[in-house]
Structures are given as structure tokens and as C-alpha cells.
């Protein structure tokens, strides 16, 4: 794995003090409406930064599976639908989502302001907080929700524009600090990596890190099974979006438009890389946003997940509808129940895998697990809960 690419839209992305502040925010349940949800609720360090559920559960039941945060800083697009174009913009979404943290940016600003330790940390990194002691200017809660009758919107609308901006700046810096912390969540060495190094330098002992059955799986992965068409590169992901046709977890759930909805949401997002809160609005992020395709051609497409540590991140797919890797191989072997009517490309065909082929592919997929990632292992000190 290479190092995560730089993020010019976040000037604090590589600042250690910002990452430490972000670590505190990540684990602190006070940054939720009821004080009982943190980022770590759905992204648990002892579960490879997932939660083991089909659908994530925050303040309420969500409609999608919580993906792993391993190597998230390598992603071009965030969320299953790609509605965020940076790690810091992604971090902000759940904080105000009614089903996830269900809080508000005014509440969070007051939480930092009222905690001497957090306030001191914030001000050492970002500069002075606004003076939030005037309750008439800065209510306890409030945020833009789009509904003029919502109490959060009414409180927000009653504020002066410069006060709203001051609170939003605090909120944005929270997201940038959390992103700086999440950039630390990188995978280490897996058996496959040792094998690749052995091939490159001609070291037979290192090549032996990939046992014969896993090598057979690698040949299938790159050959007859064609898995590499979507799962390629160091992350084993093309970082883009495809229709898999996997049946929904619950047919009664509302239709999920996937990337089609994500494209529209990203274009309208105040926190995208071209917006006023970006630290590089005219840079590479501008091209990403300006070149977004027509949403209509992307219905039911979801981001290709990384296969790094895939054996530790069950269940699978955007709704966690497949409980195990065995079920994933069963699905791609038969495509039973698949709805590919929205697919833009003709990539998927039933693989009709035999038992030996399934065993080989499973062995290869397990070879992508970090040596240092048993499920019950505590995270390194710089990733652990600091409280």
C-alpha cells in the first residue's frame, strides 16, 4: 500500500495535533443529539472499523451497511453513493443526520466551547473559538435542515449570517480534524503483500507466504473469474461505481438510487471540494465536481469496496445483505435473484464456480488480511480511544 494521497482541500490533513483532536472527537458520544452515539459506534476498532451489522444503527436504523474505514483516505468518493468528495466532508454528514448522530453544529460548537480541554486543543490548532456565551446570538442547538418549520432551522435562521458562518467554521474544522485522524487508519502487511515482494525480488521464502490454494485463487481472480475488472490496484478496488444487482436486504425498504442520488447530492453539497469551506476550491477537486456525469445513467450503482481485510468485515454489499464471503461467492457464481436492468455495462456473468474454485478464491481473499488484525486485537495507541 502506498501512503494516502494528499488532500489540498484540508490544510490540517497532515497535522499531528489535528489528528489527535480528531481522535478525541471520533470517540466522544457527546457529539450526538442524545449523547449516546460516536463515530466509533458504527466504526469499531476491534471490528476492522465496521460494526458487524447489516444496516448501521446510530440514533436510529439507517438504510445502509457501515463500510470499513481502513484506507478511507485513498478513496476518491466517500459513502456507498459517493456523495462526498473528501474524507472531511464525509465526516460531517453523519454528525447531523437524524438517523446517525442526530445532533447539530450549534450543539457541537457549544460542547467544545464548554469543555476546557477540548476548547484548549481546538484553539491551539485552529485559533480562537467564537464567543458562544451570548445565548441570544448562539442558541444551544440549530442547523440548516431545509424545513422552515423545523426547530433547528428556525433557530438557525434567527442568527446573523456572520454568526452562522462562525459556527459552521467550527463544524468544518471538526470534520477536518476527524479526517486527519482517519488518515491513520491504514492497512499494514498481509500475506499477499509479502508474496508480491517475494516475486519482485526473487525471494522464494517470501513467495511462500501465499500458500498453493491461495495462489490458485489468485489465478482465478485475475483470470477466469475476472474479479480484477472491478477489484484492482493496491486497494483491490477501482474506486468507482457498478450495479451488482444484489437483492435488497428488505424489499419493503425504499428504493436506493445509489450513485444517481450521490451525484446530485455532491453537486449541491456546501462542503464539496469547490465550495467556500474547501482549502483548495480551484484545485483538483474542481475537476472532480465539474466532470460529474448525468445522474440518470447511474441508478442502483454503488461504490466498489476495497477487499483489504475483507475476511474481517462481514456482512457484505451496501445493505449488508450477504452475511458471509461464502454467500458472496454463491451470489457471483449464480447471480440468482440479481436485477441488472440498471447496469450501464455488461460485466457480470454467472461464474458457475466449482467447489475447488470456491475454496481457492476464499483462500486468496483471506490472504488480504493484515497479519496484525485479529478481530479481538486492541488498536495501536494512536488509534485507540483516548478517554
Amino acid at each position: 500500500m502506498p501512503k494516502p494521497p494528499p488532500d489540498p482541500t484540508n490544510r490540517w490533513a497532515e497535522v499531528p495535533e489535528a489528528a489527535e483532536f480528531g481522535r478525541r472527537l471520533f470517540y466522544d458520544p457527546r457529539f450526538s443529539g442524545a449523547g449516546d452515539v460516536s463515530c466509533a459506534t458504527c466504526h469499531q476498532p476491534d471490528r476492522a472499523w465496521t460494526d458487524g451489522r447489516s444496516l448501521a444503527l446510530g440514533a436510529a436504523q439507517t438504510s445502509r451497511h457501515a463500510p470499513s474505514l481502513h484506507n478511507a483516505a485513498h478513496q476518491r468518493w466517500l459513502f456507498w453513493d459517493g456523495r462526498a468528495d473528501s474524507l472531511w466532508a464525509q465526516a460531517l454528514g453523519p454528525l447531523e443526520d437524524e438517523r446517525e448522530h442526530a445532533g447539530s453544529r450549534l450543539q457541537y460548537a457549544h460542547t467544545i466551547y464548554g469543555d476546557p480541554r477540548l476548547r484548549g486543543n481546538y484553539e491551539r490548532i485552529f485559533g480562537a473559538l467564537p464567543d458562544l456565551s451570548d445565548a441570544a446570538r448562539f442558541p444551544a442547538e440549530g442547523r440548516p435542515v431545509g424545513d422552515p418549520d423545523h426547530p433547528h432551522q428556525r433557530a438557525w435562521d434567527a442568527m446573523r449570517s456572520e454568526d452562522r458562518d462562525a459556527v459552521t467554521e467550527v463544524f468544518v474544522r471538526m470534520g477536518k480534524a476527524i479526517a486527519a485522524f482517519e488518515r491513520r487508519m491504514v492497512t499494514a502487511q498481509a500475506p499477499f503483500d509479502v508474496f508480491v515482494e517475494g516475486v519482485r525480488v526473487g525471494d522464494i521464502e517470501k513467495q511462500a507466504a501465499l500458500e498453493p490454494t491461495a495462489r490458485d485463487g489468485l489465478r482465478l481472480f485475475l483470470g477466469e473469474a475476472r474479479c480484477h475488472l472491478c477489484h484492482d490496484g493496491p486497494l483491490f478496488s477501482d474506486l468507482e461505481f457498478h450495479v451488482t444487482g444484489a437483492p435488497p436486504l428488505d424489499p419493503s425498504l425504499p428504493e436506493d438510487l445509489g450513485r444517481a442520488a450521490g451525484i446530485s447530492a455532491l453537486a449541491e453539497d456546501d462542503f464539496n471540494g469547490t465550495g467556500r469551506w474547501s482549502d483548495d476550491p480551484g484545485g483538483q477537486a474542481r475537476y472532480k465536481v465539474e466532470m460529474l456525469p448525468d445522474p440518470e445513467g447511474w441508478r442502483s450503482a454503488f461504490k466498489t469496496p476495497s477487499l483489504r481485510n475483507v475476511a474481517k468485515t462481514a456482512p457484505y454489499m451496501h445493505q449488508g445483505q450477504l452475511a458471509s464471503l461464502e454467500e458472496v461467492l454463491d451470489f457471483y457464481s449464480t447471480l440468482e435473484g440479481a436485477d441488472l436492468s440498471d447496469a450501464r455495462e455488461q460485466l457480470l456473468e454467472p461464474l458457475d464456480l466449482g467447489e475447488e474454485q470456491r475454496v481457492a478464491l476464499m483462500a486468496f481473499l483471506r490472504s488480504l488480511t493484515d497479519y496484525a488484525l485479529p478481530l479481538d486485537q486492541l488498536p495501536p495507541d494512536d488509534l485507540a480511544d483516548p478517554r
Side-chain angles (χ1 to χ4, degrees):
M1 284 291 300
K3 292 182 179 180
D7 180 7
T9 70
N10 178 4
R11 72 178 68 175
W12 294 281
E14 302 293 344
V15 176
E17 293 80 7
E20 277 300 296
F21 184 62
R23 178 162 69 125
R24 294 192 175 278
L25 301 179
F26 184 92
Y27 284 103
D28 195 332
R30 290 179 296 172
F31 294 100
S32 65
D36 58 354
V37 174
S38 72
C39 303
T41 299
C42 295
H43 301 287
Q44 300 166 18
D46 58 349
R47 289 186 174 272
W49 307 107
T50 64
D51 62 359
R53 297 176 177 272
S54 289
L55 302 178
L57 179 64
Q61 183 72 68
T62 70
S63 60
R64 289 182 181 155
H65 174 61
S68 172
L69 294 180
H70 265 134
N71 306 309
H74 286 272
Q75 300 288 344
R76 287 196 291 266
W77 316 102
L78 285 303
F79 295 109
W80 283 101
D81 57 12
R83 66 183 184 274
D85 61 349
S86 70
L87 199 54
W88 62 269
Q90 184 281 323
L92 297 177
L95 288 171
E96 292 189 319
D97 190 294
E98 295 288 357
R99 298 169 301 173
E100 298 188 56
H101 291 239
S104 75
R105 62 191 68 175
L106 266 165
Q107 173 201 342
Y108 301 150
H110 278 289
T111 299
I112 295 172
Y113 185 82
D115 183 311
R117 183 170 187 173
L118 288 179
R119 181 175 178 177
N121 290 341
Y122 179 98
E123 293 189 333
R124 278 192 295 273
I125 300 162
F126 303 114
L129 279 163
D131 182 359
L132 302 180
S133 60
D134 187 342
R137 287 178 57 195
F138 297 100
E141 292 186 343
R143 63 182 174 87
V145 296
D147 178 357
D149 296 322
H150 195 288
H152 279 187
Q153 185 71 59
R154 291 202 302 269
W156 189 251
D157 289 341
M159 296 172 63
R160 299 185 305 181
S161 61
E162 57 266 35
D163 290 341
R164 291 196 297 265
D165 285 350
V167 170
T168 298
E169 184 171 64
V170 175
F171 184 58
V172 166
R173 288 172 173 176
M174 286 177 60
K176 292 181 178 181
I178 293 171
F181 168 61
E182 291 177 344
R183 289 175 68 84
R184 294 177 175 177
M185 298 175 185
V186 295
T187 52
Q189 195 174 61
F192 179 75
D193 299 305
V194 179
F195 166 77
V196 170
E197 184 180 354
V199 170
R200 286 175 172 165
V201 302
D203 187 322
I204 300 301
E205 184 176 341
K206 289 183 176 180
Q207 291 177 33
L210 202 64
E211 48 95 9
T213 304
R215 295 189 193 197
D216 291 340
L218 173 58
R219 292 186 184 95
L220 271 170
F221 189 92
L222 297 175
E224 182 180 348
R226 304 193 307 162
C227 309
H228 70 289
L229 293 183
C230 297
H231 295 283
D232 66 337
L235 263 67
F236 293 88
S237 169
D238 62 3
L239 310 180
E240 291 298 335
F241 303 84
H242 303 281
V243 176
T244 66
L249 179 69
D250 181 351
S252 68
L253 291 171
E255 180 186 7
D256 192 330
L257 298 179
R259 182 59 169 156
I263 289 170
S264 299
L266 175 58
E268 299 168 3
D269 186 8
D270 289 341
F271 302 129
N272 71 37
T274 69
R276 60 184 295 204
W277 303 108
S278 167
D279 294 318
D280 188 32
Q284 186 64 32
R286 177 171 62 87
Y287 298 103
K288 289 171 65 176
V289 175
E290 288 181 352
M291 297 179 69
L292 287 170
D294 183 347
E296 186 57 35
W298 292 89
R299 291 173 61 96
S300 305
F302 296 91
K303 191 173 67 175
T304 305
S306 170
L307 297 183
R308 290 275 176 179
N309 297 319
V310 67
K312 301 294 187 182
T313 57
Y316 304 99
M317 307 305 214
H318 70 281
Q319 291 182 331
Q321 55 264 61
L322 301 179
S324 66
L325 282 177
E326 288 83 0
E327 288 191 16
V328 173
L329 294 184
D330 287 344
F331 172 72
Y332 284 116
S333 184
T334 66
L335 292 184
E336 182 177 353
D339 179 4
L340 299 171
S341 58
D342 288 325
R344 301 175 65 253
E345 68 248 311
Q346 297 299 317
L347 285 179
L348 290 181
E349 297 176 356
L351 297 179
D352 193 24
L353 297 170
E355 184 59 29
E356 288 187 5
Q357 291 175 311
R358 292 168 188 252
V359 169
L361 278 172
M362 283 292 293
F364 171 66
L365 292 173
R366 291 192 179 106
S367 80
L368 304 179
T369 303
D370 283 6
Y371 283 115
L373 196 68
L375 269 180
D376 59 352
Q377 178 174 300
L378 294 175
D381 287 345
D382 67 344
L383 296 178
D385 187 341
R387 293 174 298 157

